[in-house]
mmCIF file of all heavy atoms in Angstrom:
data_model
loop_
_atom_site.group_PDB
_atom_site.id
_atom_site.type_symbol
_atom_site.label_atom_id
_atom_site.label_comp_id
_atom_site.label_asym_id
_atom_site.label_seq_id
_atom_site.Cartn_x
_atom_site.Cartn_y
_atom_site.Cartn_z
ATOM 1 N N GLY A 22 7.369 -0.264 -5.442
ATOM 2 C CA GLY A 22 7.493 -0.012 -3.995
ATOM 3 C C GLY A 22 8.701 -0.685 -3.379
ATOM 4 O O GLY A 22 8.720 -0.980 -2.182
ATOM 5 N N ILE A 27 8.878 -3.867 3.105
ATOM 6 C CA ILE A 27 8.870 -5.227 2.534
ATOM 7 C C ILE A 27 9.527 -5.207 1.155
ATOM 8 O O ILE A 27 10.314 -6.105 0.815
ATOM 9 C CB ILE A 27 7.427 -5.761 2.451
ATOM 10 C CG1 ILE A 27 6.838 -5.910 3.863
ATOM 11 C CG2 ILE A 27 7.382 -7.101 1.716
ATOM 12 C CD1 ILE A 27 5.352 -6.191 3.909
ATOM 13 N N LEU A 56 15.814 5.045 -0.125
ATOM 14 C CA LEU A 56 16.838 4.322 -0.894
ATOM 15 C C LEU A 56 17.999 3.859 -0.028
ATOM 16 O O LEU A 56 18.772 2.997 -0.442
ATOM 17 C CB LEU A 56 17.320 5.193 -2.058
ATOM 18 C CG LEU A 56 16.302 5.329 -3.192
ATOM 19 C CD1 LEU A 56 16.809 6.287 -4.264
ATOM 20 C CD2 LEU A 56 15.983 3.975 -3.822
ATOM 21 N N ASP A 77 0.987 6.765 -12.921
ATOM 22 C CA ASP A 77 1.410 7.461 -14.144
ATOM 23 C C ASP A 77 1.458 6.458 -15.308
ATOM 24 O O ASP A 77 2.475 5.818 -15.573
ATOM 25 C CB ASP A 77 2.799 8.086 -13.878
ATOM 26 C CG ASP A 77 3.334 8.868 -15.052
ATOM 27 O OD1 ASP A 77 2.774 8.754 -16.163
ATOM 28 O OD2 ASP A 77 4.338 9.585 -14.861
ATOM 29 N N THR A 91 8.501 -9.479 -17.853
ATOM 30 C CA THR A 91 7.708 -10.719 -17.924
ATOM 31 C C THR A 91 6.998 -10.966 -16.596
ATOM 32 O O THR A 91 6.103 -11.796 -16.514
ATOM 33 C CB THR A 91 8.602 -11.925 -18.253
ATOM 34 O OG1 THR A 91 9.706 -11.914 -17.330
ATOM 35 C CG2 THR A 91 9.114 -11.852 -19.684
ATOM 36 N N GLY A 92 7.436 -10.263 -15.562
ATOM 37 C CA GLY A 92 6.793 -10.425 -14.257
ATOM 38 C C GLY A 92 6.671 -9.090 -13.547
ATOM 39 O O GLY A 92 7.501 -8.194 -13.744
ATOM 40 N N ASP A 133 -0.788 -10.134 -26.525
ATOM 41 C CA ASP A 133 -0.575 -11.082 -27.626
ATOM 42 C C ASP A 133 0.139 -12.349 -27.174
ATOM 43 O O ASP A 133 0.215 -13.317 -27.924
ATOM 44 C CB ASP A 133 0.244 -10.407 -28.736
ATOM 45 C CG ASP A 133 -0.536 -9.255 -29.331
ATOM 46 O OD1 ASP A 133 -1.783 -9.372 -29.388
ATOM 47 O OD2 ASP A 133 0.080 -8.225 -29.683
ATOM 48 N N PRO A 166 -13.445 -5.635 4.792
ATOM 49 C CA PRO A 166 -12.489 -4.605 5.240
ATOM 50 C C PRO A 166 -13.189 -3.541 6.065
ATOM 51 O O PRO A 166 -14.341 -3.214 5.791
ATOM 52 C CB PRO A 166 -11.987 -4.017 3.914
ATOM 53 C CG PRO A 166 -13.082 -4.263 2.938
ATOM 54 C CD PRO A 166 -13.715 -5.561 3.353
ATOM 55 N N ILE A 193 -1.486 -13.734 -9.439
ATOM 56 C CA ILE A 193 -1.493 -14.437 -8.146
ATOM 57 C C ILE A 193 -1.593 -13.351 -7.078
ATOM 58 O O ILE A 193 -1.025 -12.259 -7.237
ATOM 59 C CB ILE A 193 -0.206 -15.264 -7.929
ATOM 60 C CG1 ILE A 193 -0.180 -16.493 -8.859
ATOM 61 C CG2 ILE A 193 -0.075 -15.711 -6.473
ATOM 62 C CD1 ILE A 193 1.027 -17.401 -8.702
ATOM 63 N N CYS A 197 -0.865 -11.343 3.496
ATOM 64 C CA CYS A 197 0.041 -11.658 4.618
ATOM 65 C C CYS A 197 -0.371 -10.926 5.895
ATOM 66 O O CYS A 197 -1.010 -9.880 5.866
ATOM 67 C CB CYS A 197 1.470 -11.270 4.228
ATOM 68 S SG CYS A 197 2.701 -11.827 5.421
ATOM 69 N N LYS A 254 0.171 -21.309 -8.298
ATOM 70 C CA LYS A 254 -0.734 -21.565 -9.430
ATOM 71 C C LYS A 254 -1.433 -20.277 -9.853
ATOM 72 O O LYS A 254 -1.950 -19.545 -9.003
ATOM 73 C CB LYS A 254 -1.802 -22.580 -9.001
ATOM 74 C CG LYS A 254 -1.677 -23.890 -9.732
ATOM 75 C CD LYS A 254 -2.615 -24.932 -9.205
ATOM 76 C CE LYS A 254 -3.985 -24.861 -9.864
ATOM 77 N NZ LYS A 254 -4.927 -25.799 -9.254
ATOM 78 N N ILE A 255 -1.425 -20.028 -11.158
ATOM 79 C CA ILE A 255 -2.078 -18.816 -11.696
ATOM 80 C C ILE A 255 -3.541 -18.761 -11.251
ATOM 81 O O ILE A 255 -4.243 -19.775 -11.261
ATOM 82 C CB ILE A 255 -2.018 -18.838 -13.242
ATOM 83 C CG1 ILE A 255 -0.586 -18.907 -13.757
ATOM 84 C CG2 ILE A 255 -2.769 -17.643 -13.843
ATOM 85 C CD1 ILE A 255 0.250 -17.717 -13.491
ATOM 86 N N GLY A 263 2.347 -16.034 10.411
ATOM 87 C CA GLY A 263 3.397 -16.527 11.293
ATOM 88 C C GLY A 263 2.942 -17.555 12.315
ATOM 89 O O GLY A 263 3.751 -18.135 13.022
ATOM 90 N N ASN A 265 1.562 -16.839 14.990
ATOM 91 C CA ASN A 265 2.309 -16.194 16.058
ATOM 92 C C ASN A 265 1.527 -14.979 16.569
ATOM 93 O O ASN A 265 1.816 -13.852 16.226
ATOM 94 C CB ASN A 265 3.672 -15.775 15.473
ATOM 95 C CG ASN A 265 4.503 -15.001 16.445
ATOM 96 O OD1 ASN A 265 4.601 -15.354 17.621
ATOM 97 N ND2 ASN A 265 5.112 -13.926 15.976
ATOM 98 N N GLU A 292 9.402 -0.523 30.950
ATOM 99 C CA GLU A 292 7.939 -0.692 31.096
ATOM 100 C C GLU A 292 7.278 0.549 31.676
ATOM 101 O O GLU A 292 6.098 0.800 31.441
ATOM 102 C CB GLU A 292 7.619 -1.903 31.974
ATOM 103 C CG GLU A 292 7.538 -3.184 31.176
ATOM 104 C CD GLU A 292 6.780 -4.295 31.897
ATOM 105 O OE1 GLU A 292 5.914 -3.984 32.743
ATOM 106 O OE2 GLU A 292 7.085 -5.471 31.607
ATOM 107 N N THR A 296 2.283 3.989 28.036
ATOM 108 C CA THR A 296 1.258 5.026 28.233
ATOM 109 C C THR A 296 0.025 4.642 27.424
ATOM 110 O O THR A 296 0.114 4.471 26.208
ATOM 111 C CB THR A 296 1.768 6.389 27.686
ATOM 112 O OG1 THR A 296 3.075 6.626 28.212
ATOM 113 C CG2 THR A 296 0.842 7.527 28.048
ATOM 114 N N LYS A 299 -5.722 7.180 23.529
ATOM 115 C CA LYS A 299 -7.015 6.998 22.850
ATOM 116 C C LYS A 299 -6.906 5.901 21.780
ATOM 117 O O LYS A 299 -5.921 5.830 21.055
ATOM 118 C CB LYS A 299 -7.380 8.336 22.187
ATOM 119 C CG LYS A 299 -8.766 8.401 21.623
ATOM 120 C CD LYS A 299 -9.108 9.882 21.313
ATOM 121 C CE LYS A 299 -10.396 9.965 20.561
ATOM 122 N NZ LYS A 299 -10.247 10.123 19.135
ATOM 123 N N ILE A 310 -3.839 -15.728 10.717
ATOM 124 C CA ILE A 310 -3.846 -16.375 9.394
ATOM 125 C C ILE A 310 -3.716 -17.893 9.521
ATOM 126 O O ILE A 310 -2.909 -18.395 10.306
ATOM 127 C CB ILE A 310 -2.637 -15.847 8.584
ATOM 128 C CG1 ILE A 310 -2.937 -14.470 7.997
ATOM 129 C CG2 ILE A 310 -2.210 -16.812 7.519
ATOM 130 C CD1 ILE A 310 -3.676 -14.461 6.691
ATOM 131 N N LEU A 331 12.482 -10.993 17.092
ATOM 132 C CA LEU A 331 12.411 -9.689 17.748
ATOM 133 C C LEU A 331 13.809 -9.274 18.231
ATOM 134 O O LEU A 331 14.207 -8.109 18.083
ATOM 135 C CB LEU A 331 11.449 -9.804 18.941
ATOM 136 C CG LEU A 331 10.645 -8.575 19.322
ATOM 137 C CD1 LEU A 331 9.889 -7.998 18.148
ATOM 138 C CD2 LEU A 331 9.670 -8.924 20.453
ATOM 139 N N GLY A 332 14.556 -10.241 18.749
ATOM 140 C CA GLY A 332 15.930 -9.972 19.203
ATOM 141 C C GLY A 332 16.795 -9.483 18.051
ATOM 142 O O GLY A 332 17.526 -8.490 18.174
ATOM 143 N N TYR A 338 18.270 -2.395 14.949
ATOM 144 C CA TYR A 338 17.985 -0.976 15.224
ATOM 145 C C TYR A 338 19.069 -0.366 16.121
ATOM 146 O O TYR A 338 19.460 0.793 15.923
ATOM 147 C CB TYR A 338 16.591 -0.801 15.843
ATOM 148 C CG TYR A 338 15.489 -0.847 14.783
ATOM 149 C CD1 TYR A 338 14.795 -2.018 14.512
ATOM 150 C CD2 TYR A 338 15.174 0.286 14.030
ATOM 151 C CE1 TYR A 338 13.806 -2.066 13.535
ATOM 152 C CE2 TYR A 338 14.194 0.249 13.041
ATOM 153 C CZ TYR A 338 13.512 -0.924 12.799
ATOM 154 O OH TYR A 338 12.552 -0.959 11.822
ATOM 155 N N GLU A 358 18.404 12.802 -4.049
ATOM 156 C CA GLU A 358 19.071 13.932 -4.713
ATOM 157 C C GLU A 358 20.569 13.677 -4.804
ATOM 158 O O GLU A 358 21.182 13.822 -5.845
ATOM 159 C CB GLU A 358 18.912 15.202 -3.885
ATOM 160 C CG GLU A 358 17.621 15.935 -4.078
ATOM 161 C CD GLU A 358 17.492 17.006 -3.003
ATOM 162 O OE1 GLU A 358 18.440 17.793 -2.829
ATOM 163 O OE2 GLU A 358 16.436 17.003 -2.328
#
Side-chain angles (χ1 to χ4, degrees):
I27 296 170
L56 287 176
D77 182 347
T91 51
D133 296 327
I193 289 182
C197 188
K254 246 173 87 185
I255 301 293
N265 176 44
E292 272 199 26
T296 311
K299 189 166 172 261
I310 280 276
L331 212 53
Y338 280 96
E358 277 169 51

